[in-house]
Amino acid sequence: MKSDRGDIELAGVCKSFDGVTNVVDGVNLRIADGAYCCFIGPSGCGKTTILRMIAGHEDPTAGEIVIGGQNVVGLAPVQRRTAMMFQSYALFPHLTVRENIAFALRVRGMPKRDRLRAADAMIEKVRLTQFAGRLPAQLSGGQQQRVALARAAITEPRVLLLDEPLSALDEQLRVQMRQELRRMQQELGITFIHVTHTQLEAIALADLVVVMEQGRIKQAGAAREVYAHPYDRYVAEFMGGQNVLSGRVEKVNGTSFTLAQAAPAGIEVPLKARSSIKVGDKIDIAVRRDDVALVRPGKELPPGCSTSLPSRVLAIEYQGYFVKVMLDTVPDDGFVAYVPEKTFFADPFTVGDVVMATWATGSALPLA
Amino acid sequence: MQPSSAQTPPRANLAGWLYVSPLVIVLVPFFVAPILVVLVASFFATDGFGGLTPGFTLASYVEVLHSALTLKLYLATIKFTVLTWTFTLFIGFFVAYFLVFHVRSQLLAIGLFLLCTVPFWTSNIIRMISWIPLLGKEGLINQALLGTGAIGQPLEVLLFSDLAVVIAYVHQLTIFMIVPIFNSMARIDKKLIEAAIDTGASRFDILRLIVVPMSKSGIALGTIFVVSIVMGDFFVVKVMSGGGSASVVSAFYEDVGVLQYPTAAASAVLLTLVLVAVVSLILRTVDIRQEIAR
């Protein structure tokens, strides 16, 4: 019995190429049918290897890969009903766009007329009708990407795997093709698994963001969850948008604890439910860059702010709708405030100014 | 001349000529001049004792073209060429395929590739003579077959026969197929093979639809090597057939031997024209320049 569902379960998946180090090290994950899932991490973190194992181009050293309720380890890509879109697309250079897209149908033995008709329908879907007779080398990067997408999608796979699909495109095209990928995913209604090292891409597209480090999953969750509530320092720094501070716990009361820091009064951080934080623990906390407000010394802190850290302005970058202010708040790590443009220019700072960096107590987040 | 060359400054033109000058210096005295000499000689008359009379006569061509022997020799040569081409292509293609797609370690592949060239460390003649103890009447193969009782009489067809000629050609020329095919196959992105597997292509589909079309330039180059060498050879035919067969070149080698220079020259010009036609046919089928630029 073949299932049409494209839900995926990875159970204890490991991969080692040399028998010594695990490139993928005990990954457990469940991806819902029809989800858009992004694997994200620095190069060498094992994300592409996981993708290739799901695709059937690599066998796991240990563990199970279940697609639609069926363990697919050892099956060929066709039997898994997965299709892969390769990094740099791997289009057949000697075949036209139409022939490239019809290739999968050709090797399945579909008669020429039927397969060309099916290919033409797909070509229309990716809006390449006028280029159907061209060779891949005669297409732009974005067009090649659409051909690759169409070639993968024509077999009606239940899972489409995309290996850094946007990395070969320039910035503007990347944003445009990003939307196109999402549109195709919704149109096809199948599971997409997308590997990337660009945070923006992941959070813009994915229902499920999986952050990886050295073969392990650091955090998996909805885009907003991963961005706004990073699990630890690694995720916070990798996803960006957060200031990470570390310190020793000085006081713990029922609802919050205080972190010893440069600030005279320490940093007050709300306590998570059932947290085991004790006095004396060394701990990291995260504060979103756009939650940080900058106040000139001696002025009233905004309501809800109990912590204020004296800092010097190191650099200022104008970013359009906000201004990026870099501060020396903490000795070793960078500390950045994203100040809304209008707020900033109401009372602009210059490099070297002393300011108080503050934030609403509730917005600080203890990390694991 | 392209119209644009009129606009290029003379200095750039000079630089261009300088770039090609080494090739010109080699080609003119060692290729163009001898060809011209042969071409001119083919129109000369002869006194039958090696003396040439300058002039213009088509007598030699008429003689060559009217001879029934010419047709016979061309048919024999084409037979050797087609057989040799078929076997070298088959063996060469699969040796290259094995080296490129089945040997995982690149170092091993290069090692095995170099191994293919080992026979070329000895001379052509030694390589041919080495077949005698193998194929001869008392040779290893006959001994083995007699020993197992598969045959009662030694097989005479093995040596000094057309079979032996083809064996020797294949032995000598397969490398000329392996090298260019290996080269064009090695440039096929392995991701393409993976992408084909991903779409459900079988091994044979991949071979037929991806590897062969993308090795076309290598196949064409190898074909040019093999065809032109076989068609231009007489030595292997002479030695390995034991004098039983002849090729086009054997005939004009004989002509030279009996001082019939103009007919030899006319035959040579004719063969050159045939080869030019064959090569241009190959180049017409496969756009090597485009394939290489890919």
Side-chain angles (χ1 to χ4, degrees):
Chain A
M1 266 293 287
K2 264 195 179 166
S3 156
D4 261 348
R5 286 181 300 133
D7 55 318
I8 298 171
E9 205 179 327
L10 306 177
V13 173
C14 295
K15 177 70 187 180
S16 171
F17 288 106
D18 55 6
V20 184
T21 46
N22 275 342
V23 180
V24 174
D25 193 9
V27 163
N28 296 299
L29 183 68
R30 197 186 285 268
I31 303 166
D33 182 24
Y36 201 120
C37 171
C38 275
F39 279 83
I40 181 166
S43 50
C45 72
K47 56 194 193 299
T48 297
T49 309
I50 290 185
L51 191 80
R52 291 172 55 81
M53 286 195 285
I54 298 173
H57 292 295
E58 216 79 73
D59 284 325
T61 315
E64 284 192 359
I65 298 170
V66 178
I67 303 179
Q70 174 197 16
N71 186 359
V72 295
V73 172
L75 294 184
V78 188
Q79 294 165 300
R80 297 175 185 219
R81 306 228 356 254
T82 58
M84 185 148 167
M85 198 177 120
F86 289 79
Q87 193 177 6
S88 70
Y89 318 135
L91 299 176
F92 305 125
H94 60 297
L95 299 179
T96 62
V97 167
R98 185 186 280 116
E99 288 167 337
N100 258 289
I101 293 171
F103 188 86
L105 305 176
R106 184 172 180 188
V107 299
R108 280 167 172 72
M110 189 186 272
K112 191 165 185 174
R113 275 188 50 186
D114 297 355
R115 70 173 187 247
L116 289 185
R117 194 176 313 130
D120 282 339
M122 185 54 84
I123 289 170
E124 202 159 318
K125 221 179 236 182
V126 294
R127 298 181 218 137
L128 283 173
T129 307
Q130 65 195 102
F131 304 105
R134 291 211 191 166
L135 291 175
Q138 298 165 320
L139 300 178
S140 71
Q143 289 162 347
Q144 288 184 12
Q145 199 235 22
R146 289 195 218 144
V147 178
L149 186 61
R151 184 180 68 180
I154 199 157
T155 56
E156 295 175 359
R158 47 184 182 173
V159 179
L160 193 72
L161 303 148
L162 307 102
D163 187 6
E164 307 217 0
L166 304 172
S167 60
L169 306 176
D170 58 47
E171 189 58 39
Q172 233 170 359
L173 205 53
R174 203 178 297 178
V175 174
Q176 193 187 329
M177 295 313 290
R178 197 162 81 190
Q179 290 164 2
E180 208 150 318
L181 282 180
R182 185 73 208 194
R183 178 180 68 84
M184 279 295 280
Q185 192 257 346
Q186 275 155 358
E187 213 165 287
L188 297 168
I190 59 175
T191 312
F192 268 39
I193 300 180
H194 174 138
V195 158
T196 177
H197 55 246
T198 316
Q199 298 84 319
L200 275 177
E201 205 171 294
I203 58 177
L205 282 169
D207 304 316
L208 177 64
V209 175
V210 181
V211 185
M212 293 200 57
E213 186 199 21
Q214 292 178 358
R216 292 169 175 278
I217 292 179
K218 272 285 169 181
Q219 188 173 4
R224 194 157 176 223
E225 156 111 25
V226 173
Y227 184 80
H229 300 281
Y231 167 75
D232 66 357
R233 174 181 274 266
Y234 174 80
V235 178
E237 285 178 347
F238 192 79
M239 294 309 292
Q242 304 271 3
N243 292 301
V244 182
L245 303 99
S246 54
R248 207 164 286 282
V249 176
E250 219 173 34
K251 269 190 296 208
V252 180
N253 65 28
T255 55
S256 67
F257 65 93
T258 309
L259 201 65
Q261 253 290 350
I267 301 169
E268 196 187 351
V269 183
L271 210 51
K272 273 187 202 162
R274 278 185 292 133
S275 148
S276 57
I277 291 167
K278 299 185 302 291
V279 171
D281 286 353
K282 200 173 175 304
I283 195 168
D284 293 329
I285 64 159
V287 179
R288 282 177 66 142
R289 290 173 173 182
D290 49 356
D291 280 342
V292 176
L294 302 179
V295 183
R296 291 205 186 267
K299 287 217 176 165
E300 188 94 350
L301 294 184
C305 302
S306 58
T307 305
S308 68
L309 303 175
S311 334
R312 192 176 298 274
V313 175
L314 296 176
I316 295 166
E317 269 180 17
Y318 181 59
Q319 304 271 338
Y321 62 94
F322 67 89
V323 178
K324 184 176 177 184
V325 183
M326 282 154 267
L327 305 159
D328 68 347
T329 312
V330 276
D332 297 321
D333 294 307
F335 191 96
V336 177
Y338 291 162
V339 184
E341 187 201 26
K342 294 196 174 68
T343 317
F344 182 88
F345 287 105
D347 178 16
F349 303 109
T350 51
V351 173
D353 282 2
V354 174
V355 296
M356 302 302 286
T358 183
W359 58 85
T361 306
S363 62
L365 180 76
L367 302 174
Chain B
M1 275 274 164
Q2 287 177 352
S4 65
S5 65
Q7 289 141 22
T8 43
R11 187 174 282 274
N13 247 333
L14 179 70
W17 281 109
L18 280 175
Y19 282 130
V20 296
S21 60
L23 191 64
V24 171
I25 289 168
V26 172
L27 279 184
V28 168
F30 297 111
F31 175 71
V32 178
I35 286 262
L36 286 177
V37 168
V38 170
L39 186 67
V40 169
S42 72
F43 294 111
F44 283 6
T46 174
D47 57 8
F49 302 101
L52 293 179
T53 325
F56 183 84
T57 166
L58 290 173
S60 307
Y61 286 95
V62 172
E63 193 187 323
V64 170
L65 288 173
H66 268 82
S67 160
L69 187 67
T70 306
L71 184 66
K72 228 179 91 187
L73 289 175
Y74 266 96
L75 286 179
T77 304
I78 287 168
K79 183 184 76 182
F80 286 135
T81 307
V82 169
L83 284 172
T84 307
W85 176 70
T86 311
F87 288 116
T88 51
L89 176 59
F90 185 80
I91 299 169
F93 183 86
F94 283 102
V95 168
Y97 182 78
F98 174 79
L99 289 178
V100 172
F101 293 107
H102 285 266
V103 182
R104 292 245 164 157
S105 127
Q106 197 172 9
L107 204 66
L108 184 62
I110 293 170
L112 290 172
F113 182 71
L114 288 177
L115 214 58
C116 294
T117 67
V118 168
F120 289 80
W121 298 358
T122 63
S123 90
N124 189 7
I125 298 173
I126 291 175
R127 266 179 289 143
M128 264 193 298
I129 292 173
S130 327
W131 282 107
I132 293 173
L134 205 65
L135 300 176
K137 215 167 177 183
E138 326 259 274
L140 270 176
I141 290 177
N142 269 326
Q143 295 282 351
L145 289 176
L146 284 171
T148 56
I151 51 170
Q153 294 278 324
L155 291 173
E156 303 219 8
V157 70
L158 289 182
L159 191 60
F160 302 132
S161 62
D162 288 357
L163 176 69
V165 174
V166 174
I167 288 176
Y169 274 141
V170 171
H171 175 209
Q172 281 182 16
L173 302 179
T174 301
I175 190 78
F176 290 102
M177 276 292 186
I178 297 177
V179 174
I181 296 178
F182 178 89
N183 186 38
S184 58
M185 265 185 198
R187 294 188 306 135
I188 298 177
D189 187 351
K190 296 289 184 296
K191 280 222 176 93
L192 295 184
I193 309 296
E194 242 172 30
I197 292 173
D198 202 73
T199 61
S202 66
R203 218 168 252 264
F204 179 66
D205 285 331
I206 293 171
L207 192 68
R208 187 169 60 100
L209 301 173
I210 311 288
V211 178
V212 170
M214 293 190 68
S215 311
K216 265 196 324 206
S217 63
I219 292 172
L221 282 175
T223 303
I224 292 174
F225 284 140
V226 169
V227 166
S228 54
I229 291 174
V230 173
M231 290 195 74
D233 175 81
F234 77 98
F235 190 66
V236 173
V237 178
K238 191 179 154 118
V239 173
M240 296 308 285
S241 76
S245 299
S247 68
V248 176
V249 183
S250 340
F252 57 83
Y253 178 73
E254 299 295 322
D255 280 345
V256 170
V258 296
L259 308 178
Q260 295 296 326
Y261 295 125
T263 40
S267 300
V269 170
L270 205 63
L271 181 64
T272 307
L273 290 179
V274 170
L275 268 176
V276 167
V278 171
V279 170
S280 46
L281 197 71
I282 293 168
L283 292 180
R284 198 174 254 264
T285 341
V286 181
D287 187 349
I288 290 187
R289 282 174 61 163
Q290 196 208 330
E291 299 274 325
I292 286 174
R294 189 178 60 212

